[in-house]
Amino acid sequence: MHKKKVLLNRAMFSIRPYESSALTVLTTLFHHFTEAGNYELFVRRGGAVIHRAAIQVGEKGAQQQLNLDLAALRDTEARECCDKEAGTKYALAVNSIMGFYVSQGTGAYSVEIARTEHKERRALDSAAHVPPGDLFAVTLVRPGTYRAVNEEGGAEALIRVKPPDRKDYRAGEAVLVTCGAGAFKPKRVEITSGHSVVFRCETPARLRVELVDAAESAPRPRQEMRHTLRRSPGPPSHKAT
Amino acid sequence: MAFTDRSDLYAAVHEEGINRVVRHIMQQRPSLFNYATPFFLQNPGLLCVRIKAAPEVTAAGNPLFTVQTPLPVLAAAQPVGLNYCLQFTDLAIDFHDSDTIKLPPELGTLPAQRLALYMKGCFGLGCLPEGYYADLIPLAEAVAVSRGDKPSFGLADIPARQERDPIVPPVRELTCFCLELYAVLHFEWGFIGQDEYLKVRLDGLEIVDLKPVEMENILECYAEAVLRLGILPRLSIRIEKMVLDITRLLRQQGLQAGQQISLAPAPVPAAVPHNPAVEDDQLKAFVNLVIQP
Amino acid sequence: MAHLTLAVSEATFKRSFDLLKRNFTFQDSDLQDYGAFTLGYDVKMHLEGGSVDLRADNTVQIKELDIRWDRLKVIIGLDVPEICVGGGCINMPWPVPDICLPKICVFSGDPDVSISPDFASLVAQEISFTGSLAARYFDVTIPLPSPDPCQLLRVVPLPGNNQWQIFVDPQTMDLDLFDFPDIVGNLIEDALTSAVTALIPGGWVRDLILAIIGGIADLIRAILDIPDDIEEWLSDLFNVSFGLLDFIGTLVLDFFASCNPIYSIDDPFEILPAASGLIPVRIPIRNLSVRAHDLEMVIQTDVGA
């Protein structure tokens, strides 16, 4: 039986804060397009633009939601390196959602969306803040207690992540938290490992979610989780001598 | 009672079968039964008896007879040879317990475990026609009185020929006579080299009604020598052939399995009273497997 | 009366059969893709033991011939489904559409898990058959059938000349079904569990993943769609689904009945070898018949004219 080349998504299990200003694995930023028009998208990694695209938001756009995997954009960019004229274009409808997430890797990304005609009118600059009406989601896998902070106003919330129940696990659940002026609502939420918390911003926000208390029942990650598994041996290397 | 009660393999040939085998041998190897001078290579029709050969023999270019040197004319100063042929034309075998072949009284009754052989042999000699003598006599006389390499009497027209290269006058017709020969024989196992063979041994023979007796004895003496030294040794059959090589696959597969399988006669009298046995009009062979791991 | 009579003792016949049987080997492998999983086998077998009985009713009875498995590998491959977190949608107030979260997956692809435990030492089968002795004439001028069913079974080389060939021709055959012992089920489940577990990091990560996939044993059973009794499922696979049982039975039948004679006699048969440029002396073999007696096999034949 031919084995596929399979890599463990190690970034999923590393412990670090999740920030709206630096999108990493398990975080998603959703931008809500409320006005029709032409936009420009800039995706940055480490300050450098790694992806640029045109977004056309029309009254009768086809898509209501488009999720863009920022970790996959470099490949796209590389493929299109020699055809700049064509560029990348996305077409959406008014009131549609464009999600930006990172499927793998350790990179931190930021997203900027601006009107083509008026570049100074930025619809979104995630490195600065999440504008009202946009959403920031974080999927939490490690059981424990997390603190969510809006660094713009200092509001805090606690998120308790329960260990999964093998007998009754339902995937794909999410809890909505409103991030208002000065406070989260609700202030305490409880989810199960692997589920998501979606923060809906009513005011400009810089959101940060960090583990403050790992669940005692959950042992620290073992050494082997950092191994790459089931990788097929590559061709022998030929070293210069 | 089973055939193989006392051996691993058993083979029996009925005399009708052996006589067919003999016929096949005579037809496929006629040179074993026919002897003649080179003259008959071009004139086979002059032989005493026409040779019936299998088509394969002529197709393979095999000889119909074994070539013999002409019969020398004794005392001839100039060597002269006469064409002749000796042919064994009929051959039949009768295993004990049958009376297909009536043995002459001199051989008595066929003893147990013996087989009777009937053979008809024809001898033909190419006599010189009178005209040849008229040509040859002057030559003979000239050679008779010559001394060494010096020509005598000025007879320079004597052909220069080798002393041992005889003059062999051609013949138009052989003078033939045939004799009937009866023999008593038996079979026995024996080795030729490393291999075990079934051999035919002569116990006695008789040429019927030939006078004087001394001449008969001389011819019998010669026939015995021909049989014992010439024909019978060439009819020895390997033990594997006796059982139609039926163990060939067994032996091949044994080799693959690391076993050396060979055949050996069942011992006499420990296993069987006679081996080979000649009885009930049959030749019977009792054979064992010999397995060496 | 036949011109020639040959008899082969039962002991010699048994030796011949043993040597022929020793050359019977069979190996095969197959892998069938069922989408989420693959099933296959990689097997090699030979024959051993057994008793040979020549019977008075002109038959040969071969009893309890052991099928010895040199290799009896069961290949089970699972395509472990995607293991992802996140996902799901939340309802949003109008005019914002419902928002669906992306899934973040544990592995970069769908991992494959494959095991191939060897149960050669755990499975034993026997073949018994009763057959007649059949004499057939091999005519070298008649082309072999195409495809030649004996191509892979022939251990007795094809002769270069005409031959009388004697076969053991089974009429009926009893072949034990594959019957995997109880321990096999545990071995398979353990092996699969280990293989899947090896993919997953330990600790809370494993807890999470196992919760997502619902436990390895259940996952395996769900993917393979197997009942509680794995042994029975496996036996059924080999007996029916793979068709291996029928295949082996047919091979054994063909091996003895038509591909490999137990004895052969050349026709014409050479009695005096070629010598000094003279052709060999050969006799035609006619009307060959064979029969089994209680204690021996007897061949009778005539010498052709």
Side-chain angles (χ1 to χ4, degrees):
Chain A
M1 187 177 183
H2 176 71
K3 286 194 188 310
K4 296 173 192 166
K5 205 171 189 178
V6 174
L7 294 176
L8 179 69
N9 194 350
R10 285 190 290 167
M12 276 180 67
F13 308 108
S14 61
I15 299 164
R16 62 181 172 211
Y18 304 102
E19 296 172 294
S20 61
S21 59
L23 300 174
T24 55
V25 169
L26 297 176
T27 63
T28 309
L29 181 67
F30 294 104
H31 176 68
H32 180 209
F33 286 98
T34 55
E35 293 177 19
N38 295 320
Y39 296 83
E40 262 193 301
L41 168 68
F42 301 90
V43 178
R44 290 189 176 86
R45 182 184 176 193
V49 175
I50 60 159
H51 182 67
R52 209 175 147 171
I55 302 171
Q56 190 172 40
V57 179
E59 294 294 343
K60 294 180 181 178
Q63 292 187 86
Q64 286 295 309
Q65 180 172 354
L66 173 66
N67 285 347
L68 205 60
D69 181 2
L70 304 183
L73 288 178
R74 280 165 298 172
D75 291 340
T76 307
E77 201 73 339
R79 281 198 303 272
E80 296 174 354
C81 71
C82 305
D83 191 12
K84 294 287 185 189
E85 291 300 316
T88 306
K89 289 180 183 169
Y90 304 111
L92 289 164
V94 174
N95 279 322
S96 64
I97 294 290
M98 191 164 188
F100 303 95
Y101 72 101
V102 182
S103 63
Q104 59 182 324
T106 55
Y109 301 82
S110 63
V111 177
E112 184 182 329
I113 296 174
R115 282 276 193 175
T116 306
E117 300 81 10
H118 310 283
K119 285 197 171 56
E120 72 284 359
R121 286 183 58 188
R122 287 181 185 162
L124 167 66
D125 181 4
S126 68
H129 60 258
V130 181
D134 284 2
L135 303 96
F136 175 68
V138 58
T139 302
L140 299 171
V141 294
R142 171 130 198 208
T145 303
Y146 292 78
R147 180 175 59 195
V149 180
N150 180 356
E151 293 176 333
E152 290 283 344
E156 286 192 13
L158 279 181
I159 305 167
R160 183 172 169 249
V161 179
K162 293 186 297 180
D165 182 355
R166 284 197 201 181
K167 292 179 183 170
D168 184 26
Y169 183 82
R170 296 181 61 187
E173 295 200 346
V175 173
L176 186 65
V177 174
T178 304
C179 178
F184 288 105
K185 188 179 177 180
K187 288 185 176 176
R188 301 177 74 90
V189 292
E190 186 172 281
I191 60 170
T192 301
S193 174
H195 292 171
S196 307
V197 178
V198 181
F199 297 93
R200 184 183 183 209
C201 298
E202 293 180 340
T203 59
R206 277 171 66 94
L207 295 168
R208 175 184 173 91
V209 177
E210 59 191 353
L211 180 67
V212 292
D213 183 17
E216 287 182 4
S217 60
R220 291 189 64 78
R222 291 186 203 163
Q223 188 68 25
E224 65 260 36
M225 74 171 285
R226 283 186 278 275
H227 286 185
T228 301
L229 302 176
R230 295 284 167 185
R231 170 176 262 182
S232 303
S237 60
H238 299 281
K239 290 182 180 175
T241 54
Chain B
M1 183 175 169
F3 293 122
T4 53
D5 277 348
R6 291 168 293 176
S7 63
D8 294 324
L9 299 163
Y10 165 87
V13 190
H14 192 268
E15 60 190 22
E16 286 179 18
I18 205 91
N19 282 318
R20 284 201 177 184
V21 172
V22 167
R23 278 201 292 278
H24 283 293
I25 296 174
M26 291 181 79
Q27 290 181 6
Q28 293 180 47
R29 198 157 286 183
S31 58
L32 191 57
F33 300 92
N34 294 276
Y35 301 85
T37 51
F39 170 79
F40 297 100
L41 292 172
Q42 274 73 47
N43 302 280
L46 293 180
L47 290 165
C48 293
V49 179
R50 190 176 69 84
I51 297 172
K52 293 177 193 169
E56 295 86 355
V57 174
T58 45
N62 280 188
L64 295 178
F65 54 85
T66 303
V67 174
Q68 303 294 308
T69 54
L71 190 65
V73 174
L74 301 176
Q78 167 65 37
V80 176
L82 300 182
N83 286 304
Y84 75 95
C85 73
L86 174 64
Q87 295 179 275
F88 298 99
T89 58
D90 294 303
L91 209 149
I93 283 170
D94 180 14
F95 292 131
H96 180 259
D97 208 14
S98 172
D99 54 357
T100 312
I101 295 174
K102 293 283 185 194
L103 288 176
E106 292 85 345
L107 291 175
T109 309
L110 183 65
Q113 301 300 328
R114 293 293 187 269
L115 62 141
L117 171 75
Y118 164 79
M119 205 157 69
K120 186 176 174 183
C122 296
F123 182 80
L125 187 66
C127 292
L128 287 177
E130 192 55 35
Y132 275 93
Y133 281 112
D135 293 336
L136 288 176
I137 287 172
L139 281 176
E141 289 169 343
V143 172
V145 297
S146 70
R147 293 172 186 276
D149 55 354
K150 295 178 181 174
S152 299
F153 306 107
L155 294 173
D157 59 340
I158 295 174
R161 68 169 57 235
Q162 294 296 321
E163 194 174 0
R164 289 179 187 169
D165 197 2
I167 296 168
V168 184
V171 291
R172 293 197 186 90
E173 187 180 15
L174 283 184
T175 304
C176 297
F177 72 94
C178 297
L179 293 173
E180 291 180 327
L181 181 147
Y182 292 86
V184 174
L185 306 105
H186 70 274
F187 291 105
E188 64 183 34
W189 296 110
F191 281 95
I192 300 176
Q194 300 288 319
D195 302 315
E196 192 120 30
Y197 280 77
L198 185 72
K199 301 174 177 178
V200 193
R201 296 296 190 220
L202 179 70
D203 294 319
L205 64 83
E206 177 67 23
I207 297 175
V208 181
D209 293 340
L210 201 61
K211 298 293 181 186
V213 172
E214 288 73 16
M215 188 178 75
E216 180 185 312
N217 290 346
I218 287 169
L219 288 179
E220 286 172 355
C221 164
Y222 186 71
E224 179 179 349
V226 169
L227 278 173
R228 298 183 77 167
L229 299 177
I231 296 177
L232 296 183
R234 299 187 194 208
L235 298 178
S236 301
I237 303 284
R238 276 179 70 126
I239 190 168
E240 289 85 1
K241 303 290 184 184
M242 264 311 293
V243 292
L244 294 183
D245 221 356
I246 196 155
T247 56
R248 182 178 49 194
L249 292 178
L250 177 67
R251 285 184 282 122
Q252 287 169 352
Q253 287 162 1
L255 272 182
Q256 289 170 16
Q259 296 176 348
Q260 184 87 33
I261 299 176
S262 55
L263 302 181
V268 174
V272 285
H274 302 285
N275 187 17
V278 177
E279 56 199 21
D280 308 326
D281 301 332
Q282 296 175 84
L283 162 66
K284 301 174 181 175
F286 302 88
V287 178
N288 283 337
L289 300 183
V290 179
I291 296 151
Q292 293 171 310
Chain C
M1 188 173 189
H3 292 158
L4 296 162
T5 302
L6 282 175
V8 175
S9 69
E10 189 170 38
T12 305
F13 185 89
K14 185 175 190 312
R15 183 174 294 279
S16 296
F17 185 84
D18 282 346
L19 286 171
L20 180 59
K21 168 201 73 188
R22 199 181 287 198
N23 285 313
F24 179 90
T25 57
F26 160 70
Q27 58 181 330
D28 191 25
S29 61
D30 192 17
L31 199 62
Q32 294 175 12
D33 194 343
Y34 295 90
F37 62 95
T38 50
L39 289 175
Y41 58 85
D42 179 10
V43 297
K44 183 181 179 189
M45 60 155 277
H46 68 274
L47 298 174
E48 277 184 15
S51 65
V52 178
D53 185 23
L54 294 171
R55 304 199 299 182
D57 62 354
N58 197 24
T59 59
V60 184
Q61 188 178 56
I62 313 293
K63 286 173 72 175
E64 293 163 358
L65 203 54
D66 296 321
I67 292 179
R68 292 279 185 231
W69 291 102
D70 305 301
R71 188 169 66 238
L72 182 58
K73 284 187 175 178
V74 180
I75 301 167
I76 301 175
L78 298 180
D79 196 355
V80 177
E82 214 175 35
I83 302 168
C84 301
V85 298
C89 298
I90 52 174
N91 296 323
M92 299 298 294
W94 189 89
V96 183
D98 291 349
I99 293 176
C100 293
L101 286 97
K103 283 183 175 178
I104 307 298
C105 298
V106 175
F107 296 107
S108 62
D110 302 342
D112 289 336
V113 167
S114 178
I115 61 164
S116 53
D118 192 341
F119 298 129
S121 62
L122 298 175
V123 176
Q125 286 161 282
E126 287 178 352
I127 295 179
S128 297
F129 59 82
T130 300
S132 56
L133 291 173
R136 299 196 198 107
Y137 195 75
F138 178 84
D139 187 338
V140 77
T141 63
I142 298 175
L144 295 174
S146 180
D148 178 10
C150 294
Q151 190 176 9
L152 299 175
L153 289 174
R154 192 175 287 115
V155 296
V156 174
L158 275 176
N161 47 274
N162 294 351
Q163 261 187 2
W164 288 96
Q165 298 183 328
I166 294 164
F167 292 90
V168 177
D169 191 2
Q171 307 297 316
T172 57
M173 171 177 280
D174 294 323
L175 172 58
D176 289 348
L177 294 170
F178 281 91
D179 185 15
F180 290 88
D182 293 347
I183 188 174
V184 164
N186 292 334
L187 289 173
I188 286 181
E189 202 162 275
D190 290 350
L192 276 174
T193 302
S194 298
V196 174
T197 305
L199 288 171
I200 305 169
W204 60 270
V205 178
R206 179 170 295 168
D207 290 342
L208 170 65
I209 292 172
L210 292 183
I212 293 170
I213 64 177
I216 293 171
D218 290 343
L219 169 80
I220 292 166
R221 286 180 186 279
I223 291 176
L224 294 178
D225 191 22
I226 52 178
D228 290 341
D229 190 343
I230 291 183
E231 306 80 53
E232 193 180 320
W233 168 79
L234 196 61
S235 300
D236 193 51
L237 269 181
F238 274 79
N239 290 324
V240 182
S241 303
F242 291 152
L244 208 53
L245 198 72
D246 283 345
F247 193 39
I248 291 170
T250 305
L251 288 181
V252 173
L253 283 174
D254 287 348
F255 181 86
F256 290 111
S258 53
C259 297
N260 297 288
I262 190 165
Y263 297 110
S264 65
I265 296 171
D266 288 343
D267 177 40
F269 180 77
E270 180 183 301
I271 55 167
L272 291 178
S276 307
L278 300 177
I279 60 171
V281 175
R282 297 185 174 116
I283 55 172
I285 303 294
R286 298 286 178 267
N287 311 322
L288 188 138
S289 65
V290 62
R291 64 185 191 278
H293 288 305
D294 205 6
L295 300 170
E296 61 194 359
M297 178 191 79
V298 176
I299 297 169
Q300 292 195 304
T301 185
D302 289 335
V303 178

